[in-house]
Amino acid sequence: MDIQNIGMVGGGKMGKGIALSAARAGYSVIIHDITEEIASQSLLHIGQTVEKLVTKNKLERKEAGALLSRISCTGSYAGYDQLDLIIEGVPEKLELKMDVLAHLDTLCREDAIIVSNTSTFSITTLASATQRPQLFSGLHFFIEPTPLVEVIRGYYTSEDTVASVRAAAEKMGKTVVETKKDSPGFIANRVYTPLFLEAFRLYEEGVATIEEIDKAMENSYLPIGPFRLADIIGLDTLKSGLDYYRSELGESWRAPQCLSVLIRAGRLGRKSGKGWYDYT
């Protein structure tokens, strides 16, 4: 499919970032938010982000105006029946995603591709909420400035669908990897999550402090320590993923008690101002 028009369901930090990448690549983008008021705030925030790019000489003023003209935000699903590709980017809650995807399936053209930005859940399971499993895949974007995007096949995902979503991501300037088999966590999270777990356990066992573990990893193998990265991702999001991995892959993926304690205390990471570290 020749993709021209894209819908982004969910205007959070990730959703706005994906929409901006798509618009910079020349796509027309509609962002759906919960209410018109929130949608207006999303559009304002995108405008501020674009203005910063202009100020830093990373974007020409004329290009910025054209880019913003390609983005609209709405509290409804107006225009979604005209879209070629719809990206679901609501919070990592399986039931919520299934409900949203089932609704999208009734709104969109029969030949439209629907993808999920999930970092965790089975694409085959998510596709079952729709009547178009062959036109459904995972398209997992990462937090900027990481350029990686994972294209994930569900059991019924067609080759044409994979080719179309891969081409769209590459047009956005992303580095694309493809998973050949639907598996929890896909590639990057499946490899990286055990590192989180081991770091948390080292701290829980009193082997080293949070700061020392992060310092060790940042000065040896990683650009950012596991505790700092966990705070960026969101500890509740991380815990939700671990609970799902445990249900699918076994007890070795159980979330450590120290993570659960922080979540109960409302320390969810950067978004709440406090996580493993304090940001306020």
Side-chain angles (χ1 to χ4, degrees):
M1 175 186 286
D2 181 23
I3 294 170
Q4 300 292 330
N5 305 300
I6 295 177
M8 181 70 235
V9 182
K13 182 178 180 180
M14 180 69 78
K16 288 192 286 285
I18 295 171
L20 189 54
S21 293
R24 291 190 75 171
Y27 293 112
S28 295
V29 186
I30 302 175
I31 303 175
H32 168 81
D33 258 315
I34 298 173
T35 66
E36 291 294 343
E37 181 180 1
I38 295 174
S40 295
Q41 288 299 313
S42 292
L43 192 58
L44 177 63
H45 186 272
I46 289 172
Q48 292 169 344
T49 300
V50 170
E51 182 60 32
K52 288 178 183 177
L53 291 173
V54 172
T55 302
K56 294 178 180 179
N57 295 317
K58 294 183 178 180
L59 191 67
E60 294 291 334
R61 175 69 63 184
K62 184 177 180 180
E63 184 184 352
L67 187 160
L68 289 173
S69 72
R70 292 193 288 270
I71 301 176
S72 61
C73 296
T74 176
S76 71
Y77 283 102
Y80 267 64
D81 59 342
Q82 302 298 314
L83 299 176
D84 305 312
L85 172 67
I86 301 89
I87 304 171
E88 171 273 306
V90 302
E92 284 290 277
K93 297 178 181 179
L94 183 58
E95 185 175 351
L96 172 61
K97 287 182 179 291
M98 296 288 278
D99 287 345
V100 169
L101 291 168
H103 186 53
L104 285 171
D105 190 51
T106 65
L107 296 174
C108 301
R109 294 195 331 249
E110 289 185 0
D111 63 339
I113 295 172
I114 301 176
V115 300
S116 175
N117 186 46
T118 182
S119 60
T120 307
F121 300 121
S122 162
I123 299 305
T124 303
T125 298
L126 293 174
S128 70
T130 77
Q131 299 300 311
R132 63 184 81 203
Q134 74 282 1
L135 290 170
F136 191 97
S137 79
L139 190 61
H140 177 214
F141 291 80
F142 287 72
I143 298 170
E144 295 289 355
T146 305
L148 182 66
V149 169
E150 294 177 317
V151 176
I152 308 102
R153 297 168 179 266
Y155 188 87
Y156 293 105
T157 306
S158 72
E159 293 294 338
D160 286 346
T161 297
V162 170
S164 294
V165 298
R166 182 183 189 114
E170 288 176 341
K171 187 176 178 180
M172 295 180 206
K174 301 300 182 180
T175 300
V176 180
V177 295
E178 182 185 327
T179 67
K180 303 298 185 184
K181 182 179 179 182
D182 187 13
S183 179
F186 320 130
I187 300 172
N189 283 355
R190 182 72 177 270
V191 172
Y192 206 100
T193 300
L195 188 147
F196 281 128
L197 284 171
E198 199 59 31
F200 298 164
R201 288 167 183 156
L202 280 174
Y203 164 69
E204 195 167 59
E205 292 168 9
V207 173
T209 65
I210 292 168
E211 293 80 5
E212 291 298 311
I213 294 169
D214 271 355
K215 185 188 295 185
M217 300 312 296
E218 288 166 356
N219 287 276
S220 56
Y221 305 111
L222 303 175
I224 184 172
F227 291 95
R228 295 189 192 281
L229 181 56
D231 275 351
I232 292 172
I233 293 170
L235 304 190
D236 52 339
T237 300
L238 191 57
K239 171 68 161 52
S240 175
L242 283 168
D243 290 344
Y244 180 73
Y245 299 152
R246 179 188 172 198
S247 70
E248 292 286 317
L249 302 170
E251 285 299 309
S252 64
W253 296 81
R254 178 191 289 270
Q257 185 67 17
C258 60
L259 179 62
S260 299
V261 168
L262 287 181
I263 293 170
R264 285 197 294 269
R267 299 179 66 103
L268 306 181
R270 282 188 173 274
K271 62 186 175 185
S272 67
K274 294 181 179 180
W276 293 109
Y277 293 93
D278 288 348
Y279 300 95
T280 55

